[in-house]
Amino acid sequence: MTRPPVTTAAGARAASGPVTTVIENVHVATMQPGAPYGAVRDAAIALAGELVAWVGPRAECPAAPAARRVDARGRWATPGLVDCHTHLVYAGNRAAEFEMRLAGATYEEIARAGGGIVSTVQATRAATEEALLAQALRRVDALRREGVTTLEVKSGYGLEAAAEAKMLRVARAIGRERPLTVRTTFLGAHALPPEYAGRADDYVEAIVESMLPQVAAEGLADAVDAFCERIAFTADQTRRVFEAAKRHGLPVKLHADQLSDGNGALLAARHGALSADHLEYTNAAGVAAMAQAGTVAVLLPGAFYFLREKELPPVETLRRHGVPMAIATDCNPGSSPIASLLLMLSMACTLFRLTPEEALAGVTRNAALALGLGDRGTIAPGLVADLAFWDIGAPAELAYQVCLNACVGVWRSGQPVFGAP
Ligand SMILES: [Zn+2]
């Protein structure tokens, strides 16, 4: 039996008040660093309101006579899962384009037929907030059934002030409609809108001078992201967006080095980014800079799979430099139409050769870090009691088994939201 180290996590708050609930007869993958999975078999978790007060071997659980006792019937508990990179607010879908591509159509033919990101932008601009929310909630509910309790959502299919703000309002509404935490990211620099064709610098000017200040003033975004790539924005344009984000007190993230080595990871690290995402073509200097800056590597195996990419992200170099690796769905209509974080655990292992433990850390501890959330991601005293319960014999099953959702219950902030442990 291994015990979690008795450490206080960075975002821990002092649990106020008495222990309200004790979950017992449970095995816990605390995901605290140290022992594999931070695992404690035959454990107990004591909660004080919305926070974890204590976790450890059941035999050592402090007495709490007034607490509600919950029998987890030998199930495993992990931290609630965190999907730290999604674009799941959008209208329409790209199934017709998928079909055309498989029938041999070229990108140019697809674009001429109205496909590509422009089709998603047009559909999203035309959709009402209610319609966008209804579509998004289907994806969110699929993720919730797999234990997701914290979710990041990016804008980037509006590409004009009003439609970007609409997407972010819908993302905020998800967190009111469903019991999960939503972090929103402004991604105005996702693609060049058609009305700015050939005038990328002018569009970046509009982002910096008007769109971003408006989003910041309305409190719609928790972070700012950009797509730095030959087919999107240059390093110089990305830098301008980052500098504007800093002026508005917003942390940054970056879609970096997905299709080519554009020194995106280096750029992200130099701006103290929370995360650099994709990273298939990232070079060693970029990885070293990320390690120094504390920038999290967010790996997105779903996009790698769907686009049938060949270049693997530099996992061994990331390991050697101790860069925390997160995993996310990248749920979006064009390159990762996937609403399963558990499938990403499998793909991270089979495609990117992560260990099952690294993959689980990638959707818990490190995913929380990628969002700048120090109050969750492990099960530890003082952290938010977001918990997922699993009908498994060992944590490695979560990455091993495909399409057999073993999630039997989810608690958020110390309260059950569905199922039972
Ligand atoms: Zn993305």
Side-chain angles (χ1 to χ4, degrees), residues 85 87 154 187 190 255 278 300 330 332:
H85 180 141
H87 309 248
K154 301 177 196 294
L187 179 58
H190 190 198
H255 287 66
H278 287 289
L300 303 166
D330 195 15
N332 79 76

Side-chain angles (χ1 to χ4, degrees), residues 22-55:
V22 176
I23 301 168
E24 49 197 2
N25 193 14
V26 65
H27 307 301
V28 185
T30 66
M31 301 314 292
Q32 293 189 42
Y37 300 96
V40 189
R41 285 182 180 269
D42 194 14
I45 309 169
L47 311 181
E50 64 180 22
L51 302 180
V52 173
W54 185 91
V55 59

Side-chain angles (χ1 to χ4, degrees), residues 100-147:
M100 280 178 74
R101 191 141 45 91
L102 284 163
T106 65
Y107 280 102
E108 204 186 332
E109 286 165 341
I110 289 167
R112 270 207 305 273
I117 190 168
V118 171
S119 67
T120 301
V121 171
Q122 282 165 350
T124 303
R125 285 178 177 178
T128 63
E129 286 188 33
E130 293 71 28
L132 280 175
L133 180 61
Q135 274 207 36
L137 286 177
R138 288 182 58 199
R139 302 168 194 128
V140 170
D141 287 340
L143 293 166
R144 290 178 56 235
R145 284 191 291 272
E146 293 187 344

Side-chain angles (χ1 to χ4, degrees), residues 193-206:
E195 56 273 22
Y196 278 91
R199 297 190 296 128
D201 280 329
D202 291 348
Y203 180 57
V204 171
E205 183 79 9

